[in-house]
Amino acid sequence: MSGTLFNIQRFCTDDGPGIRTTVFFKGCNLRCAWCHNPESQSSDVQLMFFADKCIGCGKCSKKCPNALESCQLCGNCALYCPEDAREICGREYSADEVMDEILKDRAYYEASGGGVTFSGGECILQIDFLCELLKLCKENGIHTAVDTAGYVEYSRFERILPYTDLFLYDLKCADADLHKKYVGVDNTLIIENLGRLFDAKKEIWIRIPVIPTVNDTEQEMLALRQIISSRGRPSRIELLPYHAMGEHKYAALGREKMSFPVPADEKMQILKNIFS
Ligand code: SF4
Ligand code: SF4
């Protein structure tokens, strides 16, 4: 079995306990206006062009079978570009290939209490591939985490429950109108699925991005706290401050992005206190 990924990152420390390998699936059914991984959103393989790195040498054009017109994603331009200004984002991986990468760091997982985190994009959209990888990890005694935004049919969660040790569950906005405006979909299913995962007695870490001008109000955070506490008890709640580090990737994909300010440390502390 195979699936489309855009990155496998080793030695991660922000995606669950201990030292982890994070596997990034391509494709997402949400469109968060602040997304810092826009290359994760399309399920297709894409060509990215970082104009600020280009020195105009022309090698890409000479090596391209179509002289840079109507790209067929052959990857030649990226291969021959001396400045890494062109990049093919995403490719098909077999489950064995992914497992080979994951198993390289088994000793680090064991020493640190870490494991593997499947992320994206929305990794649950490629449910068959995800299920197979989770099973293989459990057969190898590796701790598994699934990072999800929760906007999928619950039957998909049911398939991965037996092989998932931890869910990293993203909540964005409590207010339904805000959610629809900035994420692109209604939040009802996401909230319902969170309740079902609590009922299934799974370990959950909640992750909330703090986006100034969108959800950085005490009112929104109190409402999110109410949503969480009325459904169960996560082992951790993380507030993640907005950062602009992914902005250059929008330009590389030929897209525009909404701008948001970065939240001040004092504001983050006030909002964190709501959950303490
Ligand atoms: S990926 Fe291939 S077809 Fe597309 S622009 Fe580059 S060289 Fe041309
Ligand atoms: S090969 Fe790279 S540096 Fe040279 S023109 Fe093409 S994109 Fe620019």
PDB file of all heavy atoms in Angstrom, residues 49-50 53-61 68 77 80-86, ligand 2:
ATOM      1  N   PHE A  49       8.104  27.325  -6.348  1.00  0.00           N
ATOM      2  CA  PHE A  49       9.185  28.165  -6.880  1.00  0.00           C
ATOM      3  C   PHE A  49       9.455  29.309  -5.904  1.00  0.00           C
ATOM      4  O   PHE A  49       8.607  30.166  -5.692  1.00  0.00           O
ATOM      5  CB  PHE A  49       8.800  28.716  -8.263  1.00  0.00           C
ATOM      6  CG  PHE A  49       9.768  29.745  -8.773  1.00  0.00           C
ATOM      7  CD1 PHE A  49      11.136  29.482  -8.820  1.00  0.00           C
ATOM      8  CD2 PHE A  49       9.317  30.993  -9.195  1.00  0.00           C
ATOM      9  CE1 PHE A  49      12.032  30.443  -9.278  1.00  0.00           C
ATOM     10  CE2 PHE A  49      10.211  31.953  -9.650  1.00  0.00           C
ATOM     11  CZ  PHE A  49      11.569  31.670  -9.690  1.00  0.00           C
ATOM     12  N   PHE A  50      10.660  29.309  -5.322  1.00  0.00           N
ATOM     13  CA  PHE A  50      11.048  30.335  -4.352  1.00  0.00           C
ATOM     14  C   PHE A  50      11.841  31.420  -5.090  1.00  0.00           C
ATOM     15  O   PHE A  50      13.061  31.307  -5.277  1.00  0.00           O
ATOM     16  CB  PHE A  50      11.871  29.713  -3.228  1.00  0.00           C
ATOM     17  CG  PHE A  50      11.103  28.691  -2.433  1.00  0.00           C
ATOM     18  CD1 PHE A  50      11.113  27.353  -2.794  1.00  0.00           C
ATOM     19  CD2 PHE A  50      10.337  29.075  -1.344  1.00  0.00           C
ATOM     20  CE1 PHE A  50      10.381  26.414  -2.081  1.00  0.00           C
ATOM     21  CE2 PHE A  50       9.597  28.144  -0.625  1.00  0.00           C
ATOM     22  CZ  PHE A  50       9.622  26.810  -0.992  1.00  0.00           C
ATOM     23  N   LYS A  53      15.223  32.976  -4.069  1.00  0.00           N
ATOM     24  CA  LYS A  53      16.479  32.212  -4.165  1.00  0.00           C
ATOM     25  C   LYS A  53      17.023  32.172  -5.587  1.00  0.00           C
ATOM     26  O   LYS A  53      18.174  31.818  -5.799  1.00  0.00           O
ATOM     27  CB  LYS A  53      16.237  30.769  -3.705  1.00  0.00           C
ATOM     28  CG  LYS A  53      15.922  30.587  -2.236  1.00  0.00           C
ATOM     29  CD  LYS A  53      15.841  29.084  -1.977  1.00  0.00           C
ATOM     30  CE  LYS A  53      15.495  28.769  -0.546  1.00  0.00           C
ATOM     31  NZ  LYS A  53      15.274  27.321  -0.377  1.00  0.00           N
ATOM     32  N   CYS A  54      16.202  32.512  -6.569  1.00  0.00           N
ATOM     33  CA  CYS A  54      16.572  32.342  -7.984  1.00  0.00           C
ATOM     34  C   CYS A  54      17.624  33.363  -8.402  1.00  0.00           C
ATOM     35  O   CYS A  54      17.479  34.561  -8.152  1.00  0.00           O
ATOM     36  CB  CYS A  54      15.321  32.487  -8.845  1.00  0.00           C
ATOM     37  SG  CYS A  54      15.663  32.418 -10.598  1.00  0.00           S
ATOM     38  N   ILE A  55      18.705  32.887  -9.072  1.00  0.00           N
ATOM     39  CA  ILE A  55      19.746  33.788  -9.556  1.00  0.00           C
ATOM     40  C   ILE A  55      19.662  33.973 -11.079  1.00  0.00           C
ATOM     41  O   ILE A  55      20.546  34.567 -11.691  1.00  0.00           O
ATOM     42  CB  ILE A  55      21.152  33.265  -9.166  1.00  0.00           C
ATOM     43  CG1 ILE A  55      21.345  31.828  -9.686  1.00  0.00           C
ATOM     44  CG2 ILE A  55      21.371  33.350  -7.650  1.00  0.00           C
ATOM     45  CD1 ILE A  55      22.767  31.296  -9.554  1.00  0.00           C
ATOM     46  N   GLY A  56      18.598  33.431 -11.667  1.00  0.00           N
ATOM     47  CA  GLY A  56      18.355  33.642 -13.095  1.00  0.00           C
ATOM     48  C   GLY A  56      19.337  32.944 -14.023  1.00  0.00           C
ATOM     49  O   GLY A  56      19.574  33.416 -15.134  1.00  0.00           O
ATOM     50  N   CYS A  57      19.884  31.808 -13.606  1.00  0.00           N
ATOM     51  CA  CYS A  57      20.900  31.121 -14.430  1.00  0.00           C
ATOM     52  C   CYS A  57      20.294  30.430 -15.651  1.00  0.00           C
ATOM     53  O   CYS A  57      21.007  30.113 -16.599  1.00  0.00           O
ATOM     54  CB  CYS A  57      21.663  30.114 -13.580  1.00  0.00           C
ATOM     55  SG  CYS A  57      20.644  28.699 -13.078  1.00  0.00           S
ATOM     56  N   GLY A  58      19.005  30.134 -15.620  1.00  0.00           N
ATOM     57  CA  GLY A  58      18.341  29.537 -16.777  1.00  0.00           C
ATOM     58  C   GLY A  58      18.476  28.030 -16.904  1.00  0.00           C
ATOM     59  O   GLY A  58      17.982  27.439 -17.873  1.00  0.00           O
ATOM     60  N   LYS A  59      19.144  27.364 -15.947  1.00  0.00           N
ATOM     61  CA  LYS A  59      19.331  25.909 -16.060  1.00  0.00           C
ATOM     62  C   LYS A  59      17.996  25.172 -16.047  1.00  0.00           C
ATOM     63  O   LYS A  59      17.827  24.163 -16.722  1.00  0.00           O
ATOM     64  CB  LYS A  59      20.207  25.404 -14.905  1.00  0.00           C
ATOM     65  CG  LYS A  59      21.665  25.764 -15.096  1.00  0.00           C
ATOM     66  CD  LYS A  59      22.536  25.158 -14.025  1.00  0.00           C
ATOM     67  CE  LYS A  59      23.986  25.575 -14.255  1.00  0.00           C
ATOM     68  NZ  LYS A  59      24.821  25.467 -13.100  1.00  0.00           N
ATOM     69  N   CYS A  60      17.061  25.663 -15.261  1.00  0.00           N
ATOM     70  CA  CYS A  60      15.758  24.992 -15.150  1.00  0.00           C
ATOM     71  C   CYS A  60      15.058  24.959 -16.500  1.00  0.00           C
ATOM     72  O   CYS A  60      14.535  23.926 -16.932  1.00  0.00           O
ATOM     73  CB  CYS A  60      14.887  25.681 -14.107  1.00  0.00           C
ATOM     74  SG  CYS A  60      14.720  27.447 -14.358  1.00  0.00           S
ATOM     75  N   SER A  61      15.099  26.071 -17.184  1.00  0.00           N
ATOM     76  CA  SER A  61      14.417  26.170 -18.471  1.00  0.00           C
ATOM     77  C   SER A  61      15.041  25.223 -19.493  1.00  0.00           C
ATOM     78  O   SER A  61      14.350  24.542 -20.253  1.00  0.00           O
ATOM     79  CB  SER A  61      14.477  27.627 -18.927  1.00  0.00           C
ATOM     80  OG  SER A  61      14.047  27.735 -20.211  1.00  0.00           O
ATOM     81  N   LEU A  68       9.501  25.147 -19.188  1.00  0.00           N
ATOM     82  CA  LEU A  68       8.780  25.725 -18.044  1.00  0.00           C
ATOM     83  C   LEU A  68       7.327  26.094 -18.362  1.00  0.00           C
ATOM     84  O   LEU A  68       6.693  26.809 -17.595  1.00  0.00           O
ATOM     85  CB  LEU A  68       9.514  26.945 -17.459  1.00  0.00           C
ATOM     86  CG  LEU A  68      10.933  26.709 -16.934  1.00  0.00           C
ATOM     87  CD1 LEU A  68      11.475  27.985 -16.280  1.00  0.00           C
ATOM     88  CD2 LEU A  68      10.990  25.562 -15.925  1.00  0.00           C
ATOM     89  N   CYS A  77      13.736  20.383 -13.230  1.00  0.00           N
ATOM     90  CA  CYS A  77      14.158  21.747 -12.885  1.00  0.00           C
ATOM     91  C   CYS A  77      14.673  21.800 -11.450  1.00  0.00           C
ATOM     92  O   CYS A  77      15.694  22.428 -11.165  1.00  0.00           O
ATOM     93  CB  CYS A  77      13.019  22.738 -13.093  1.00  0.00           C
ATOM     94  SG  CYS A  77      11.548  22.335 -12.150  1.00  0.00           S
ATOM     95  N   TYR A  80      18.180  20.180 -11.188  1.00  0.00           N
ATOM     96  CA  TYR A  80      19.325  20.904 -11.744  1.00  0.00           C
ATOM     97  C   TYR A  80      19.464  22.330 -11.216  1.00  0.00           C
ATOM     98  O   TYR A  80      20.461  22.987 -11.505  1.00  0.00           O
ATOM     99  CB  TYR A  80      19.246  20.920 -13.279  1.00  0.00           C
ATOM    100  CG  TYR A  80      19.538  19.559 -13.859  1.00  0.00           C
ATOM    101  CD1 TYR A  80      18.522  18.702 -14.263  1.00  0.00           C
ATOM    102  CD2 TYR A  80      20.860  19.113 -13.975  1.00  0.00           C
ATOM    103  CE1 TYR A  80      18.797  17.441 -14.772  1.00  0.00           C
ATOM    104  CE2 TYR A  80      21.141  17.846 -14.481  1.00  0.00           C
ATOM    105  CZ  TYR A  80      20.101  17.019 -14.877  1.00  0.00           C
ATOM    106  OH  TYR A  80      20.381  15.770 -15.371  1.00  0.00           O
ATOM    107  N   CYS A  81      18.494  22.821 -10.473  1.00  0.00           N
ATOM    108  CA  CYS A  81      18.613  24.188  -9.949  1.00  0.00           C
ATOM    109  C   CYS A  81      19.741  24.253  -8.914  1.00  0.00           C
ATOM    110  O   CYS A  81      19.730  23.519  -7.930  1.00  0.00           O
ATOM    111  CB  CYS A  81      17.296  24.631  -9.293  1.00  0.00           C
ATOM    112  SG  CYS A  81      17.446  26.233  -8.487  1.00  0.00           S
ATOM    113  N   PRO A  82      20.724  25.134  -9.085  1.00  0.00           N
ATOM    114  CA  PRO A  82      21.847  25.177  -8.151  1.00  0.00           C
ATOM    115  C   PRO A  82      21.507  25.865  -6.823  1.00  0.00           C
ATOM    116  O   PRO A  82      22.287  25.800  -5.873  1.00  0.00           O
ATOM    117  CB  PRO A  82      22.909  25.986  -8.910  1.00  0.00           C
ATOM    118  CG  PRO A  82      22.132  26.854  -9.830  1.00  0.00           C
ATOM    119  CD  PRO A  82      20.899  26.094 -10.201  1.00  0.00           C
ATOM    120  N   GLU A  83      20.362  26.551  -6.762  1.00  0.00           N
ATOM    121  CA  GLU A  83      20.024  27.338  -5.573  1.00  0.00           C
ATOM    122  C   GLU A  83      18.835  26.781  -4.792  1.00  0.00           C
ATOM    123  O   GLU A  83      18.326  27.449  -3.887  1.00  0.00           O
ATOM    124  CB  GLU A  83      19.698  28.788  -6.003  1.00  0.00           C
ATOM    125  CG  GLU A  83      20.827  29.487  -6.743  1.00  0.00           C
ATOM    126  CD  GLU A  83      22.052  29.680  -5.860  1.00  0.00           C
ATOM    127  OE1 GLU A  83      21.877  29.956  -4.661  1.00  0.00           O
ATOM    128  OE2 GLU A  83      23.173  29.549  -6.380  1.00  0.00           O
ATOM    129  N   ASP A  84      18.363  25.614  -5.153  1.00  0.00           N
ATOM    130  CA  ASP A  84      17.164  25.040  -4.521  1.00  0.00           C
ATOM    131  C   ASP A  84      15.970  25.993  -4.597  1.00  0.00           C
ATOM    132  O   ASP A  84      15.157  26.083  -3.662  1.00  0.00           O
ATOM    133  CB  ASP A  84      17.427  24.681  -3.045  1.00  0.00           C
ATOM    134  CG  ASP A  84      18.423  23.551  -2.921  1.00  0.00           C
ATOM    135  OD1 ASP A  84      18.480  22.716  -3.833  1.00  0.00           O
ATOM    136  OD2 ASP A  84      19.150  23.527  -1.914  1.00  0.00           O
ATOM    137  N   ALA A  85      15.871  26.722  -5.692  1.00  0.00           N
ATOM    138  CA  ALA A  85      14.744  27.648  -5.855  1.00  0.00           C
ATOM    139  C   ALA A  85      13.489  26.930  -6.344  1.00  0.00           C
ATOM    140  O   ALA A  85      12.390  27.487  -6.296  1.00  0.00           O
ATOM    141  CB  ALA A  85      15.119  28.758  -6.837  1.00  0.00           C
ATOM    142  N   ARG A  86      13.667  25.721  -6.849  1.00  0.00           N
ATOM    143  CA  ARG A  86      12.509  24.926  -7.298  1.00  0.00           C
ATOM    144  C   ARG A  86      12.466  23.639  -6.493  1.00  0.00           C
ATOM    145  O   ARG A  86      13.502  23.032  -6.231  1.00  0.00           O
ATOM    146  CB  ARG A  86      12.619  24.622  -8.790  1.00  0.00           C
ATOM    147  CG  ARG A  86      12.407  25.858  -9.623  1.00  0.00           C
ATOM    148  CD  ARG A  86      12.543  25.595 -11.096  1.00  0.00           C
ATOM    149  NE  ARG A  86      12.195  26.811 -11.812  1.00  0.00           N
ATOM    150  CZ  ARG A  86      10.986  27.099 -12.279  1.00  0.00           C
ATOM    151  NH1 ARG A  86      10.003  26.238 -12.127  1.00  0.00           N
ATOM    152  NH2 ARG A  86      10.753  28.231 -12.885  1.00  0.00           N
TER     153      ARG A  86
HETATM  154  S1  SF4 B   2      17.814  26.875 -12.205  1.00  0.00           S
HETATM  155 FE1  SF4 B   2      17.133  27.728 -10.226  1.00  0.00          FE
HETATM  156  S2  SF4 B   2      18.411  29.557  -9.951  1.00  0.00           S
HETATM  157 FE2  SF4 B   2      18.561  28.962 -12.118  1.00  0.00          FE
HETATM  158  S3  SF4 B   2      16.954  30.179 -13.141  1.00  0.00           S
HETATM  159 FE3  SF4 B   2      16.063  28.222 -12.624  1.00  0.00          FE
HETATM  160  S4  SF4 B   2      15.096  28.553 -10.624  1.00  0.00           S
HETATM  161 FE4  SF4 B   2      16.521  30.232 -10.941  1.00  0.00          FE
END
